[in-house]
Amino acid sequence: MNSERQSTLGMNEPLRCARDALSDLIEESPYMAYLKDVQTGKYILSNKRWADLLGLDSTDQLVGLTVSDFVKEGGVWDWDFGAGFESWKNKQPEEIKKLEEQVKISKSPVYYNQHLFTSEGLIFPNKLIKLPIFNHDNKKVIAVVTYDQNLILQYDLPELLKLYQKYYSTEEAIQYLLRYLDIDGYFAQLPDLKEMQLLFAIHRKVDLLDHMNDPQIQNLRNKVAQSCWEEMLTRLHAILENIH
C-alpha cells in the first residue's frame, strides 16, 4: 500500500478496519470498481479495470485524486477528443458530487446511467451503482463504493453509431466505431454514413451478399483493402458474437 493510500485511510479511521475486505471486493469485482472518501471525494482504492480504462499503469495513480483532479490541465482526462468530450468531462465533477452526496444523505444505493470515455477515445454506455459504507454503528456514511457496469451489450450497431455521433463529428464517429469493432484497418477509404448503415444491414442479413452487383454494396466493397472483404465480414461477425 502506497503512502498516499495510507494517508487517505488514516484520515478515515473507521475504514482502516474494513480495509482488507473492501480491497478484496473491489479488486476481484468483474466490473470497474473503486472506493472514495465521502467527505473529501478522494479515491482510496480502485481495481485495475478502472485504471486500464483511464489509461493508467497502476491503481496507485488514482489514490488521493478527486474527479476535479481528473478535469484539470495535466489531469487524468487531459485528452484531446474535441468539443463533445470537453463538454462531457467538465460536467463530471458536479454530477459525481451530486450522486455521492445523494448516497450520503439517503444512506442507500444510487443508480445512474452515463457514458464513459476510454483513453483511446472510445465510448462505453455504463451503469454506475454507488453504495454507502457506514461507520461502526451504521449511523454515518463514511465512504462510497462504486461499481461501473458496462451496458454496451444492450446496444446494436446503429445505436452505437448514434452514441458516437453525440460526441464526435460523423466522420470521427465512424472512425471510432470501426476502431472499437477492430475492423478499421481493413478500410482503405472511410465509409460514409449510408455505407455504414449498409454494413450493419449486411451483418444482420447475410443473404444481402447475394446482391453483390448492387452498386451500393460494390461501392462499400471498393473501400475495403483488396481481397479483404470476406475476411473483414468474418472478423466483424466474430467480434460481434463475442461481445453480444
Side-chain angles (χ1 to χ4, degrees), residues 87-98:
S87 176
W88 172 86
K89 81 170 186 179
N90 289 331
K91 293 176 183 176
Q92 294 308 297
E94 188 60 30
E95 287 189 2
I96 298 302
K97 181 179 178 181
K98 286 180 180 178

Side-chain angles (χ1 to χ4, degrees), residues 27-57:
E27 290 176 5
E28 295 174 10
S29 171
Y31 308 118
M32 291 178 288
Y34 46 86
L35 174 72
K36 295 170 69 178
D37 184 290
V38 78
Q39 297 297 329
T40 65
K42 290 184 176 183
Y43 284 85
I44 300 172
L45 296 169
S46 171
N47 68 2
K48 197 169 186 307
R49 291 176 183 271
W50 180 229
D52 287 345
L53 180 133
L54 297 171
L56 301 177
D57 297 326

Side-chain angles (χ1 to χ4, degrees), residues 156-162 165 170 174 177 191-205 208 216 220:
D156 61 21
L157 292 180
E159 289 174 326
L160 278 178
L161 182 55
K162 287 181 180 178
Q165 285 180 286
T170 297
I174 292 171
L177 181 56
D192 61 26
L193 192 57
K194 288 184 178 179
E195 289 165 340
M196 286 295 288
Q197 300 298 339
L198 180 58
L199 181 61
F200 299 158
I202 290 172
H203 170 258
R204 290 195 303 270
K205 299 181 180 179
L208 283 175
Q216 289 182 313
L220 174 60

Side-chain angles (χ1 to χ4, degrees), residues 31-153:
Y31 308 118
M32 291 178 288
Y34 46 86
L35 174 72
K36 295 170 69 178
D37 184 290
V38 78
Q39 297 297 329
T40 65
K42 290 184 176 183
Y43 284 85
I44 300 172
L45 296 169
S46 171
N47 68 2
K48 197 169 186 307
R49 291 176 183 271
W50 180 229
D52 287 345
L53 180 133
L54 297 171
L56 301 177
D57 297 326
S58 168
T59 58
D60 286 343
Q61 292 174 267
L62 286 164
V63 177
L65 297 182
T66 67
V67 179
S68 294
D69 293 322
F70 281 28
V71 174
K72 69 183 183 181
E73 186 175 353
V76 176
W77 281 333
D78 193 13
W79 304 329
D80 185 15
F81 297 140
F85 169 72
E86 288 296 315
S87 176
W88 172 86
K89 81 170 186 179
N90 289 331
K91 293 176 183 176
Q92 294 308 297
E94 188 60 30
E95 287 189 2
I96 298 302
K97 181 179 178 181
K98 286 180 180 178
L99 291 173
E100 291 173 356
E101 188 68 18
Q102 186 177 342
V103 174
K104 178 182 175 182
I105 294 172
S106 68
K107 299 181 180 180
S108 60
V110 169
Y111 303 87
Y112 181 72
N113 287 353
Q114 66 161 14
H115 304 136
L116 282 178
F117 283 77
T118 74
S119 59
E120 297 176 336
L122 303 180
I123 305 171
F124 292 98
N126 284 66
K127 175 184 282 187
L128 287 178
I129 306 171
K130 291 188 172 288
L131 306 171
I133 302 296
F134 295 94
N135 64 352
H136 63 281
D137 60 6
N138 291 324
K139 291 183 179 180
K140 181 181 179 182
V141 177
I142 56 175
V144 175
V145 170
T146 300
Y147 293 100
D148 209 328
Q149 181 181 2
N150 194 330
L151 299 179
I152 202 164
L153 299 185

